[in-house]
Amino acid sequence: LLKEAAERNPDVIAARREADAAASRVEPSAALDDPMLEAGLINVPTGSWSLSREDMTMKMIGISQRLPYPGKRALRREAATREADAVAINAREALNRVQRDVKVAYFELWLADESIRISEANLGVLRQLLSLAEARYGVGQGTQADVFKAQTQLSRMEEERLKLGRERPALEAELARAIGRPEAAITPQAPGLPLPALRLESLKAAARGSRPQLAAQQRMVDRGTAQVDLARKDYYPDFDVRLQYGQRDNYLGMKRDDMVSITVAINLPVWGETKRDPKVSEAEAGRSQAQVMLQARLNEVDAMLRQQVSAAEQGLRSLRLYDGSLVPQARLASDASLSAYRVGRVDFFTLLDSRMTAFNAEVGRAAALVAYNKALAEIEFLTGTALEGGKQ
């Protein structure tokens, strides 16, 4: 499903197309302006409009090219390259986010299926208890209240199963959306218990080295630095190089040589205070904003890692508690209560309470397993790396 989401999810595809577009802007950013081609008539006398009477009259064709001050093109390329890098890295972030969404939706769908399965199993037990209560009531060993209580609990459990059944299509639709399918009929398998080593400082270091969002923001800081340098380069002039060829007609048998002109012009960057100083300030402010946003992202990742590591550890402790004591003890208590009820040593309310305690323990164990795996999925997304399993 993760592989399919990487190929079909519209958000991932759109992010890749955006990266392609950004990469296509790198070469044009450093390209020279188009050369200018000009043609015309030079020094034509208005009295005769003759092209051969005056020595300085000529037919002219020329070409000119603007050349930026040395270093400007390289800085433009640098800024565009850093921006393209950021967009490409953000495409990886989008993929990681989608895969996180697939995992979370998959786990939640499994929890719904498991809860339905446990509810149906508990319904079977409750029906047996109802039959037992009715039989004991029929022979005068039980009370009518026991029968009513069993019927009420059975109805509540049926309502709970119906509620879970209503929620499942929405969870399945969310998983289909994350994958990129119009719809999906998926029966998820039970999530595992990978038990990776969760060391907060190591995870923070992994996030700084592998989280695409942080790497993309660092590229935006680098882009801001290039833009500041480029804005400062604007205090230096650009050059216009122009080459012209003038063709002169002969006059009364007198041959006239053609003429060639070469000129170089520069712009005069004299409006520093009103034009260039604000551009430098703008570029510096943009770089500062990118730096602040990078620090904000770092702080956010650190805080969320602390939360998710704590959630994973709590989920793991809950799982061990459920597996080690709560579920086995609740099942034993339920079986013992049933045996005791058959011989009249406990009342029906105690029997029913022990059965529901066992049911809640089984559902709680499934919820703790899902919470643990969801926390691991969030940690993988936050660090940008897959967690390696190992003993804690």
Side-chain angles (χ1 to χ4, degrees):
L1 295 180
L2 294 174
K3 181 179 179 180
E4 184 179 353
E7 297 171 351
R8 298 183 58 169
N9 184 276
D11 292 335
V12 175
I13 296 173
R16 289 171 178 160
R17 297 296 179 269
E18 184 180 4
D20 294 340
S24 298
R25 292 194 292 266
V26 173
E27 287 300 322
S29 68
L32 292 171
D33 292 340
D34 292 335
M36 297 293 293
L37 180 66
E38 56 182 339
L41 303 175
I42 303 296
N43 299 324
V44 178
T46 57
S48 63
W49 297 102
S50 172
L51 298 181
S52 61
R53 183 180 295 276
E54 300 294 335
D55 287 343
M56 297 307 296
T57 299
M58 65 189 77
K59 296 182 281 289
M60 181 275 294
I61 186 170
I63 190 170
S64 63
Q65 176 67 61
R66 169 155 289 200
L67 301 175
Y69 191 84
K72 286 185 177 181
R73 293 176 62 200
L75 288 171
R76 290 171 185 162
R77 180 190 295 273
E78 176 74 10
T81 299
R82 293 294 170 257
E83 182 176 2
D85 291 344
V87 176
I89 294 171
N90 276 327
R92 297 208 313 267
E93 176 80 1
L95 174 59
N96 290 350
R97 181 179 294 105
V98 165
Q99 293 187 329
R100 184 273 313 270
D101 293 345
V102 169
K103 293 177 184 178
V104 170
Y106 185 91
F107 298 148
E108 290 181 345
L109 183 61
W110 176 83
L111 178 58
D113 285 350
E114 183 68 4
S115 299
I116 291 173
R117 185 194 66 78
I118 297 172
S119 298
E120 290 175 344
N122 199 52
L123 275 171
V125 175
L126 289 176
R127 292 190 184 99
Q128 294 176 0
L129 296 183
L130 175 59
S131 298
L132 180 59
E134 289 174 339
R136 288 178 61 84
Y137 175 64
V139 296
Q141 295 179 350
T143 67
Q144 191 176 31
D146 293 347
V147 177
F148 290 157
K149 183 64 176 178
Q151 290 173 342
T152 301
Q153 192 60 58
L154 185 62
S155 298
R156 288 178 177 175
M157 185 54 58
E158 288 177 343
E159 171 60 25
E160 180 66 18
R161 187 192 61 174
L162 291 174
K163 176 184 175 183
L164 292 169
R166 290 193 300 268
E167 292 175 352
R168 192 187 190 283
L171 297 173
E172 195 172 56
E174 174 60 23
L175 179 56
R177 182 206 62 79
I179 297 171
R181 297 181 184 177
E183 58 183 18
I186 298 171
T187 302
Q189 302 299 313
L193 196 60
L195 297 177
L198 300 178
R199 299 180 179 86
L200 183 58
E201 294 306 318
S202 298
L203 293 173
K204 289 180 180 180
R208 281 157 174 75
S210 303
R211 175 72 187 273
Q213 183 190 54
L214 300 180
Q217 191 59 44
Q218 181 60 57
R219 298 300 190 280
M220 296 306 293
V221 174
D222 297 339
R223 171 179 174 267
T225 299
Q227 288 181 324
V228 169
D229 293 341
L230 181 60
R232 289 173 178 164
K233 281 282 187 181
D234 203 33
Y235 288 98
Y236 299 95
D238 297 329
F239 305 90
D240 280 329
V241 179
R242 183 172 299 174
L243 173 65
Q244 295 177 330
Y245 181 85
Q247 185 269 324
R248 296 194 299 173
D249 293 339
N250 297 332
Y251 179 66
L252 298 178
M254 182 176 65
K255 179 175 175 58
R256 291 175 173 155
D257 294 331
D258 296 337
M259 294 186 175
V260 175
S261 300
I262 300 177
T263 60
V264 177
I266 63 171
N267 63 302
L268 300 177
V270 296
W271 311 117
E273 184 176 350
T274 58
K275 183 177 180 180
R276 290 170 176 82
D277 291 353
K279 287 185 176 181
V280 172
S281 298
E282 178 187 4
E284 289 176 340
R287 179 178 62 181
S288 178
Q289 179 194 26
Q291 291 170 336
V292 171
M293 289 182 66
L294 174 59
Q295 187 59 52
R297 297 289 178 268
L298 287 169
N299 295 342
E300 180 184 30
V301 167
D302 289 347
M304 295 184 69
L305 276 175
R306 284 195 295 270
Q307 295 173 4
Q308 295 304 324
V309 168
S310 176
E313 291 174 345
Q314 290 176 4
L316 183 58
R317 285 194 292 268
S318 295
L319 273 170
R320 288 171 172 167
L321 182 61
Y322 278 114
D323 289 339
S325 59
L326 288 180
V327 172
Q329 291 172 2
R331 289 173 177 171
L332 289 174
S334 177
D335 294 341
S337 296
L338 179 59
S339 299
Y341 179 73
R342 291 182 186 276
V343 296
R345 297 181 59 185
V346 299
D347 58 28
F348 186 76
F349 291 95
T350 301
L351 171 62
L352 199 58
D353 181 69
S354 65
R355 179 59 247 170
M356 294 308 301
T357 298
F359 165 75
N360 291 330
E362 292 174 357
V363 173
R365 195 264 178 194
L369 178 60
V370 166
Y372 173 71
N373 278 274
K374 286 171 62 176
L376 295 186
E378 291 288 350
I379 291 172
E380 288 182 334
F381 171 65
L382 290 170
T383 59
T385 58
L387 294 174
E388 297 182 358
K391 294 183 179 180
Q392 297 214 49

